[in-house]
Amino acid sequence: MSELLRLERSGPGGAVARVTLTRPEVRNAFNADLIGELHATFEALAAEPAEALRGVVLAGEGPAFSAGADIAWQRAAMQLSLEENRADAARLQAMLLAIDTCPAPVVARVQGAALGGGMGLCAVADVVIAAADARFGFTEAKLGILPAIISPFVLARIGEGQARALFLTAERFDAERALRIGLVHEVVPDEPALDARIEAVLAELLSSGPTAARAAKALIRAHRGQSADAFAAHALDVAAGQRVSAEGQEGLGAFLEKRPARWRE
């Protein structure tokens, strides 16, 4: 718990972590302290074993998910040298990487505005559910800057073609367009429906084998930067390893014996 974010646990044995940005007065905008706390929080979560942490919900308190950079932080950045700006940007990049590499599945709950760095949070989440009134935008070019730090994660999510249109115009767009380009996975009518769908997604995650879900996420990330042949060989190793693991044996045995797997009881 802090003034910047809240960490709560729910689900069986507290296996679901809920990380909520708590700066509604500035629409959950980033500053150096919030970036540091998010980084530390996800690093700590990453150290938890698969049975203890099976899903993470990333949310923003109040009317907006995250509206990018805090104005006071931006003002202070104007006084930084080139090297100081590079270090500042590196801290944001490290925070996003900590979320992207979190072994457990991350579900983003998006309402209101997701702008600038908030788009980065969407891009590093595994599942993104948005309310129909959510608005999105890579708005940096309007300020004479670039969405460079979030770009590796965004390009992996929406591709070069969509990024060319949206990075250059810096236009805001609605949840339906976010859905079409693959930034968002589902759009629901309102916040009650948003919460209900988040719970349904968590239930699906909790029905998956804890190590299998993590291994599936790791497999997808491993695809980046590998040749087709190298990835195919890696996929064979991962598939075989999971099948002979205790969890794989339990899951297949439960299916054949027509009973719930141990993690579903």
Side-chain angles (χ1 to χ4, degrees), residues 83-98:
E83 286 306 310
E84 289 169 332
N85 263 293
R86 196 178 196 286
D88 204 38
R91 286 187 285 270
L92 174 60
Q93 185 180 68
M95 179 271 284
L96 291 169
L97 188 61

Side-chain angles (χ1 to χ4, degrees), residues 113-181:
L115 305 172
M119 298 288 274
L121 295 180
C122 292
V124 295
D126 300 299
V127 183
V128 183
I129 313 295
D133 68 349
R135 294 295 179 268
F136 302 82
F138 303 102
T139 53
E140 287 86 348
K142 300 292 189 191
L143 304 177
I145 55 177
L146 303 173
I149 303 307
I150 67 173
S151 63
F153 311 105
V154 172
L155 288 168
R157 177 62 63 86
I158 68 172
E160 181 181 325
Q162 296 293 345
R164 283 190 177 212
L166 295 169
F167 282 16
L168 277 58
T169 62
E171 65 182 298
R172 300 189 185 200
F173 52 96
D174 62 17
E176 287 300 326
R177 185 169 183 181
L179 180 66
R180 289 197 304 273
I181 67 175

Side-chain angles (χ1 to χ4, degrees), residues 13 16 21 43 56 62 100-101 113 130 150 158 164 168 170 176 185 201 228 235:
V16 174
L21 311 184
E43 279 201 329
V56 182
D100 189 54
T101 58
I150 67 173
I158 68 172
R164 283 190 177 212
L168 277 58
E176 287 300 326
H185 297 99
V201 170

Side-chain angles (χ1 to χ4, degrees), residues 15-41:
V16 174
R18 297 175 186 268
V19 180
T20 305
L21 311 184
T22 55
R23 305 187 75 215
E25 71 282 0
V26 291
R27 300 198 299 167
N28 297 312
F30 291 161
N31 63 12
D33 291 337
L34 177 57
I35 288 169
E37 290 209 18
L38 273 171
H39 189 179
T41 297

Side-chain angles (χ1 to χ4, degrees), residues 188-208:
V188 296
D190 50 31
E191 289 201 51
L194 183 57
D195 289 329
R197 185 57 188 147
I198 293 290
E199 294 307 311
V201 170
L202 289 172
E204 295 290 353
L205 290 174
L206 290 170
S207 74
S208 297

Side-chain angles (χ1 to χ4, degrees), residues 50 54 100-106 126-127 204-205 208-224 226 231 234-235 237-243 245 247:
R54 298 174 63 185
D100 189 54
T101 58
C102 178
V106 178
D126 300 299
V127 183
E204 295 290 353
L205 290 174
S208 297
T211 66
R214 289 184 172 214
K217 177 173 180 174
L219 178 69
I220 295 163
R221 290 196 76 260
H223 184 264
R224 303 177 192 174
Q226 287 199 41
F231 181 70
H234 174 70
D237 291 340
V238 170
Q242 189 69 26
R243 280 178 177 267
S245 70
E247 185 174 291

